[in-house]
Amino acid sequence: MNNFLPIAYFQNKFVPFNKAKVSIATQALHYGTGAIGGLRGIPDPQNDKQILLFRLDRHCQRLSDSAKYLHYDIPASKIRETIVDFIKKNQPSKSFYIRPLVYTSGLGIAPRLHNVEKDFLVYGIELADYLSPEGVSCRISSWYRQEDRSLPLRGKISAAYITSALAKTEAVESGFDEAIMMNSQGKICEASGMNIFLVRNGQLITPGFEQDILEGITRDSVLTIARNLGIKTIERPVDKSELFIADEVFLSGTAAKVAPVKKIENYQLPESKPITTKLREKLIAITENRDPDYQDWVDVIALE
Ligand code: PMP
């Protein structure tokens, strides 16, 4: 059972979650003309009257940028204020995931972005671990990530998630936990909702922005943390064959945090994952506001 937070933001006001309903003719439902955000909120382990949000400003800016592709002007500050109010109204007591959405809310049959109404909504759902922290098995998907020339991949455009859904279901139905997609050039791109990293000879490697990846906020955080720890990092194209012989592979994302990969296709990866473990622990400490060096990445929301 899904545990949704009781209050949603919908059509410019806060309403009970189960009263937030759209028409069957909503344009975005038919054409995927929406863009999503996704961030975690956790009760402050040091003070249960506070909620911690990780890199809220980056998440709001990315959604505001995604909205531009939909010809919808919504400032990051408006998204931010709504999310903060949303949390205060809901008074969450467990870890949760916030899902903001911008979408074409007008009714009609023409796939277009001009002359169509837009809306911004927010709802929340309780969420513990999305992928096992013990490690996941991955299939190399037969579905390829889209190309930026067909779809603005820097935005989290709803329509793009058909590929993620195809890849994830293909992986799970064939006995794996997650899918790793290649891009149209046959280079490793990312997982169904996470970026990918590998470690070879002590160096942390991840595909660069030119590889049609999503500009992941966790990816950016992991790269910064690694550099500050003195780990060498490089953003470059990655071949499939490199994954099979990597010392460590992990996935990064808001929902997945840092999730170790233990197996890819028929290749078992080494059990020892010192860099993955170090980065995962550091990231979790930062999100729980236990690391004084990264406090500017954490917003503390007081529940009155
Ligand atoms: N790739 C895709 C396709 C995603 O949906 C996500 C989740 N937002 C990510 C990567 C990871 O991004 P982030 O670290 O910002 O959550």
Side-chain angles (χ1 to χ4, degrees), residues 38 59 62 97 145 156 161 164 190-195 214-219 252-255:
H59 281 280
R62 185 170 65 188
Y97 189 78
R145 169 97 168 147
K156 282 170 66 82
Y161 284 86
S164 292
E190 58 181 31
S192 68
M194 309 104 211
N195 294 107
L214 180 81
E215 294 182 350
I217 294 167
T218 320
R219 174 188 180 278
S252 75
T254 296

Side-chain angles (χ1 to χ4, degrees), residues 25-26 32 55 67 88 102 120 148 154 156 162 178 189 194 200 212 214 234 247 250 257 262-263 280 285 289:
T26 303
R55 305 196 77 179
K88 291 183 176 168
V102 289
F120 162 56
D148 193 77
R154 277 171 180 75
K156 282 170 66 82
I162 181 61
E178 228 338 293
C189 192
M194 309 104 211
R200 291 190 69 197
D212 287 334
L214 180 81
I234 179 163
D247 302 322
F250 64 85
K257 303 174 189 169
K262 56 183 184 198
K263 187 182 166 196
R280 180 180 162 84
N289 212 9

Side-chain angles (χ1 to χ4, degrees), residues 225-271:
I225 295 166
R227 287 180 195 129
N228 291 345
L229 286 170
I231 298 167
K232 269 202 198 153
T233 64
I234 179 163
E235 296 168 68
R236 64 154 173 82
V238 172
D239 287 319
K240 178 176 83 170
S241 62
E242 272 194 293
L243 285 185
F244 298 148
I245 57 164
D247 302 322
E248 304 178 37
V249 177
F250 64 85
L251 307 176
S252 75
T254 296
K257 303 174 189 169
V258 162
V261 174
K262 56 183 184 198
K263 187 182 166 196
I264 304 175
E265 295 282 338
N266 51 332
Y267 289 81
Q268 205 72 40
L269 296 176
E271 270 198 16

